[in-house]
Amino acid sequence: MNNFFALFSKNQSLIYKGFLFVLSTVLVIYLLPKGGQFKYNFQKGKPWQYENLYAPFSFTIKKDEKTLDKEREAIKENATPYFDYNSEIVERSKTNFLQLFQDAFVDSLYTTSKSMAKEEGLTVFNEVYANGVIDEVYPYEQDKLIYLKRGNEVEQLAYSQFHRKENIKNRVAKLVSEKSTEDVKMLLQKLLERAIIPNVTLDSKLTEASVASELNAINPNKGVVEKGGRIIAKGEVVEGDTYQILNSLKAEYQSQVWSKSNHSWLIIGYVIIVSLVFSMLFLFLKKYRFHIYNDNTKVTFIFFNVILMVLLTTIVVKLDAKYVYVVPLCILPLILKAFFDPRLGLFVHTLTLMLLGFVVPNSFEYLFLQLIAGIVTILTVSELYRRANLFISVGQITLVYIIGYFAFFILQEGNVQLIIWENFGYFILCGLATLFAHPLIYLYEKLFGLVSDVSLLELSDTNTKLLKELSNKAPGTFHHSLNVANLAEAAANEIDANAMLVRVGALYHDIGKMKNPTYFTENQVNSVNAHQDLDPKESASIIIDHVIKGIEIARKNNLPDRVIDFIRTHHGTSLVYYFYMNEKKQNEGVNEEDFQYPGPIPFSKETAILMMSDSVEAASKSLKEPTSSKIDAFVEKIIDGQMAQGQFLNANITFKEIQTIKKVLKKKLNNIYHLRVEYPE
């Protein structure tokens, strides 16, 4: 049992990666569509590149979406609306009219008899309500046929047969008999106008149900291809009906061919494919980004983002595939570049696209556009902490989407008349969604404890609490750190390293000297040296301890690990040479380990640059009457000595880059120590 726990403890990082691998594979397979993949790739307007294709089974030809949309629109336009006839309103209106007539008609005022006038009024009333009265204006032509529902009976009428409330006055004038005098006509017009209330309304539910019923009855098929029938010949252009037949075969293949009986084979295929993708990611990290591979948090962060993009795309495709380009997939390489490097960002982006090829329609077009957009993201987004750069890059990414889609449409359709302009709106939405990268980076920093260039910019502010404390307690060290930061930043810019990271690392690399500032020469304000009364070994221990104390202070102040790496490695495993030689004069059997920094040695370009800049800047203070030749020889000696000690073996830095760094340091030091003309007294 003890051996088991010891083995588990020793390999827990590897076990975690295995668990992450299995979990990610299961999640992605769960998200992928459970249907077979059509084994032929084809594009509209392109020649068929395979041998003659014959129908492997009988299947129906599906109508394309445009044809179905036209049929749906025709049904909606020609649909017969239903109107409700309310008889209760008619009865209330009639009662109201009779009451008004009774109150208003005085026999002595009119020559027409009351009974005759009443009969005339009821005749007009019944004629108006024969088909009903409407109040609202509906978007129908006058000769449009409609259904009028009276209780359980339905009759068909023309829309023009309805009376409008505002037309009642004119209608009464036409219908009232010539036998009636003008004053009676006027009276009946007023009374009927007051009494008649609209009693016909559109039955929206019944109308919509009728339309829905007709829409559901649309036949999605337009023919049958019999088994063995030739579908397309080699070299024939894929277009028109042939294109639709191929799409129908593809849909049939994916929906029917993959049944429950071979569902397990489908899962096995997915397991192999997804495992290969994630294996490639692990291999890349292990071979080219070993420091990331060893950090389980960073590995988890990368896998989390891949799965997140697959999840978002799957959800959008299930809701409506036409919105697939709204998913801001370029956030993935953008964020990975912000936290790691461009090469890793592009590699992970490409692997993610391989998985999404199983999810999205028109996978070739999608993969091409997203790959180009990802490359543009990597090439254009620089210095993400500058807000303007992100806006400019988002504009470029959106433009690439639009140009790429436009080119694909021309290739497939041969003209621009049928282009779907709303897709350009989706690309613009995608670009706007990409701007969410900034708050997402901040969120990831808090969740995963990572650091981006935006955070580095904040840390580079010399007014931060820690740097102000350093300038107060160890002003000489603070000034030294500023000089090193300037040298290191200039060198990093020359070899395309992360200049912001190097600058921040340089500003904080000596914060451990705050504990015993007077034991370091740059902070000694007089000729008294605190090391004069100490044994060389004890002095060396104090000097070496500034690295350990610096790490403790950094952790207490929540500095990111990427910055703490500079504190760990800025002396590598070099010797505290001055005290080592003093001890050697007194004791020939001196132990080098007592005078050696604990390391580790630099493991990146940035940490290597800091080691060179720190050593050169610190030692330059000992130069007496510096000249250009002295400075050149001095820089060569220090950096060559570090190379001879093997300090840069783990840093991915080339001899050419080291030579470039030497030139930058020489130039900068020559500028610092340039000779001035002596002014006359």
Side-chain angles (χ1 to χ4, degrees):
M1 184 62 72
N2 289 335
N3 290 337
F4 172 78
F5 283 114
L7 185 66
F8 178 82
S9 178
K10 185 178 179 181
N11 297 291
Q12 61 179 347
S13 178
L14 192 61
I15 293 170
Y16 175 80
K17 288 182 178 66
F19 170 75
L20 182 64
F21 178 88
V22 172
L23 179 63
S24 301
T25 302
V26 170
L27 287 174
V28 170
I29 291 172
Y30 175 77
L31 294 172
L32 292 179
K34 303 305 182 286
Q37 295 298 313
F38 193 50
K39 59 183 177 180
Y40 300 108
N41 289 316
F42 58 92
Q43 282 183 269
K44 190 175 183 180
K46 294 287 185 181
W48 181 255
Q49 298 177 345
Y50 308 95
E51 296 299 324
N52 295 358
L53 178 63
Y54 297 91
F57 46 79
S58 297
F59 63 94
T60 55
I61 304 170
K62 306 292 183 184
K63 294 176 184 175
D64 60 60
E65 199 59 34
K66 290 180 181 178
T67 303
L68 289 173
D69 285 341
K70 286 180 181 178
E71 290 186 18
R72 293 185 191 111
E73 288 301 319
I75 287 173
K76 290 176 183 177
E77 288 178 8
N78 299 322
T80 304
Y82 281 81
F83 286 83
D84 269 330
Y85 185 95
N86 193 325
S87 300
E88 292 180 3
I89 291 177
V90 177
E91 291 302 321
R92 286 203 305 270
S93 297
K94 187 174 182 179
T95 303
N96 190 25
F97 167 71
L98 293 173
Q99 184 62 48
L100 289 171
F101 181 83
Q102 187 66 32
D103 296 340
F105 194 92
V106 179
D107 291 332
S108 60
L109 297 178
Y110 303 102
T111 56
T112 306
S113 68
K114 186 174 184 179
S115 59
M116 183 178 177
K118 181 179 178 182
E119 186 180 344
E120 288 279 354
L122 288 174
T123 301
V124 174
F125 182 91
N126 293 330
E127 200 280 340
V128 169
Y129 272 119
N131 295 320
V133 180
I134 58 173
D135 194 16
E136 293 186 37
V137 178
Y138 297 100
Y140 301 123
E141 298 292 334
Q142 290 299 308
D143 58 350
K144 172 75 175 177
L145 292 177
I146 59 93
Y147 288 120
L148 183 62
K149 187 160 69 75
R150 300 173 190 258
N152 296 325
E153 296 180 359
V154 176
E155 60 181 305
Q156 194 174 47
L157 303 172
Y159 179 66
S160 59
Q161 290 179 261
F162 288 136
H163 291 290
R164 293 287 303 279
K165 171 74 172 174
E166 59 268 26
N167 296 332
I168 295 298
K169 185 176 180 180
N170 295 333
R171 195 66 182 161
V172 170
K174 290 180 181 179
L175 293 175
V176 174
S177 171
E178 293 181 359
K179 296 176 183 178
S180 299
T181 58
E182 286 298 322
D183 53 353
V184 171
K185 284 184 180 180
M186 291 291 294
L187 176 65
L188 291 176
Q189 283 178 351
K190 290 179 182 178
L191 296 180
L192 288 169
E193 203 172 352
R194 288 178 61 186
I196 291 174
I197 302 171
N199 73 318
V200 173
T201 54
L202 179 68
D203 191 335
S204 300
K205 289 185 179 179
L206 189 56
T207 302
E208 289 172 5
S210 174
V211 172
S213 176
E214 289 188 54
L215 290 175
N216 290 332
I218 292 176
N219 186 357
N221 307 318
K222 64 174 182 179
V224 176
V225 176
E226 297 295 338
K227 181 178 180 180
R230 195 180 77 173
I231 297 173
I232 190 170
K234 184 176 182 181
E236 185 180 337
V237 176
V238 178
E239 58 185 355
D241 289 341
T242 305
Y243 178 69
Q244 195 55 38
I245 291 170
L246 286 170
N247 276 328
S248 301
L249 176 60
K250 181 179 179 180
E252 196 76 17
Y253 190 90
Q254 292 175 342
S255 63
Q256 291 188 10
V257 173
W258 291 92
S259 57
K260 291 182 180 180
S261 61
N262 51 16
H263 184 76
S264 56
W265 287 107
L266 173 66
I267 297 299
I268 290 171
Y270 271 149
V271 167
I272 295 171
I273 293 294
V274 177
S275 298
L276 281 174
V277 170
F278 286 135
S279 297
M280 293 305 103
L281 180 53
F282 269 123
L283 288 173
F284 178 86
L285 293 175
K286 189 172 184 180
K287 186 171 179 63
Y288 298 106
R289 300 292 183 273
F290 194 69
H291 62 286
I292 297 177
Y293 177 80
N294 280 334
D295 190 327
N296 284 338
T297 301
K298 292 178 179 177
V299 174
T300 304
F301 172 74
I302 294 169
F303 273 76
F304 172 80
N305 277 280
V306 173
I307 294 169
L308 179 63
M309 287 302 162
V310 176
L311 173 63
L312 287 176
T313 307
T314 304
I315 291 172
V316 170
V317 169
K318 285 183 177 179
L319 291 174
D320 194 335
K322 70 179 182 180
Y323 298 119
V324 69
Y325 284 108
V326 176
V327 180
L329 202 64
C330 286
I331 280 185
L332 180 60
L334 195 153
I335 285 177
L336 293 179
K337 181 182 179 181
F339 285 114
F340 305 114
D341 62 86
R343 188 178 177 187
L344 176 60
L346 185 58
F347 187 81
V348 174
H349 181 66
T350 305
L351 291 180
T352 306
L353 288 178
M354 290 181 183
L355 296 174
L356 293 179
F358 293 99
V359 177
V360 299
N362 300 322
S363 57
F364 177 77
E365 175 187 317
Y366 179 85
L367 295 180
F368 182 88
L369 289 178
Q370 294 291 6
L371 185 58
I372 292 294
I375 293 171
V376 169
T377 303
I378 293 296
L379 295 178
T380 60
V381 178
S382 59
E383 298 179 329
L384 194 60
Y385 53 86
R386 300 184 188 276
R387 289 171 294 182
N389 288 354
L390 180 61
F391 282 97
I392 292 169
S393 296
V394 164
Q396 292 170 330
I397 293 165
T398 305
L399 185 62
V400 165
Y401 274 129
I402 291 173
I403 292 173
Y405 172 76
F406 184 76
F408 262 103
F409 193 88
I410 292 174
L411 287 173
Q412 292 173 356
E413 299 292 339
N415 60 67
V416 295
Q417 296 175 356
L418 300 175
I419 197 165
I420 305 171
W421 296 104
E422 65 179 303
N423 286 342
F424 295 122
Y426 300 148
F427 296 136
I428 294 171
L429 286 175
C430 178
L432 293 175
T434 306
L435 294 174
F436 189 66
H438 258 309
L440 197 59
I441 286 172
Y442 177 79
L443 181 65
Y444 280 151
E445 286 178 337
K446 299 304 178 186
L447 288 176
F448 292 91
L450 301 172
V451 60
S452 68
D453 285 351
V454 180
S455 295
L456 291 176
L457 180 65
E458 295 172 357
L459 291 171
S460 68
D461 184 2
T462 53
N463 288 315
T464 59
K465 180 183 175 183
L466 194 54
L467 290 180
K468 287 186 81 171
E469 186 180 355
L470 177 63
S471 66
N472 291 331
K473 291 184 177 179
T477 298
F478 178 71
H479 185 259
H480 159 72
S481 297
L482 285 175
N483 289 338
V484 173
N486 291 332
L487 291 174
E489 185 178 21
N493 281 324
E494 285 297 316
I495 65 168
D496 291 329
N498 191 331
M500 180 60 70
L501 179 61
V502 172
R503 180 171 185 82
V504 173
L507 289 173
Y508 291 91
H509 79 284
D510 269 345
I511 55 175
K513 292 181 179 180
M514 284 193 293
K515 293 294 184 182
N516 296 302
T518 56
Y519 283 93
F520 300 91
T521 54
E522 67 265 26
N523 299 312
Q524 294 169 358
V525 294
N526 49 43
S527 57
V528 178
N529 190 334
H531 291 284
Q532 289 177 348
D533 300 326
L534 297 177
D535 180 74
K537 189 182 292 186
E538 190 176 352
S539 294
S541 177
I542 293 171
I543 299 297
I544 291 169
D545 276 352
H546 89 271
V547 173
I548 306 300
K549 288 182 170 124
I551 294 171
E552 291 173 357
I553 294 170
R555 290 202 181 282
K556 193 176 293 183
N557 286 272
N558 298 317
L559 286 186
D561 285 339
R562 289 176 79 186
V563 177
I564 295 175
D565 288 340
F566 288 91
I567 302 173
R568 288 194 189 98
T569 61
H570 74 278
H571 285 297
T573 55
S574 60
L575 293 172
V576 186
Y577 195 71
Y578 177 81
F579 295 110
Y580 171 73
M581 293 307 294
N582 284 351
E583 178 70 14
K584 200 170 185 180
K585 290 175 185 176
Q586 302 171 19
N587 179 15
E588 286 295 330
V590 61
N591 184 3
E592 281 192 8
E593 291 182 1
D594 294 334
F595 296 86
Q596 190 175 37
Y597 283 100
I601 60 176
F603 48 78
S604 66
K605 286 182 184 180
E606 289 77 16
T607 50
I609 290 170
L610 178 63
M611 173 180 272
M612 294 183 233
S613 304
D614 179 45
S615 302
V616 166
E617 203 285 330
S620 67
K621 300 293 190 295
S622 64
L623 283 176
K624 296 177 181 178
E625 299 181 1
T627 63
S628 180
S629 58
K630 278 186 178 180
I631 289 172
D632 289 358
F634 160 79
V635 170
E636 291 284 346
K637 179 183 175 183
I638 288 180
I639 295 179
D640 287 347
Q642 290 173 337
M643 292 174 66
Q645 294 169 21
Q647 297 295 333
F648 307 134
L649 290 177
N650 290 344
N652 58 333
I653 192 166
T654 64
F655 284 115
K656 183 179 180 180
E657 289 170 334
I658 292 174
Q659 289 302 119
T660 302
I661 293 168
K662 286 181 181 178
K663 289 179 183 177
V664 174
L665 295 178
K666 290 173 187 176
K667 182 180 178 181
K668 285 287 183 182
L669 289 175
N670 273 296
N671 290 337
I672 293 171
Y673 294 109
H674 70 285
L675 299 176
R676 292 183 179 273
V677 177
E678 187 176 347
Y679 292 97
E681 296 182 3

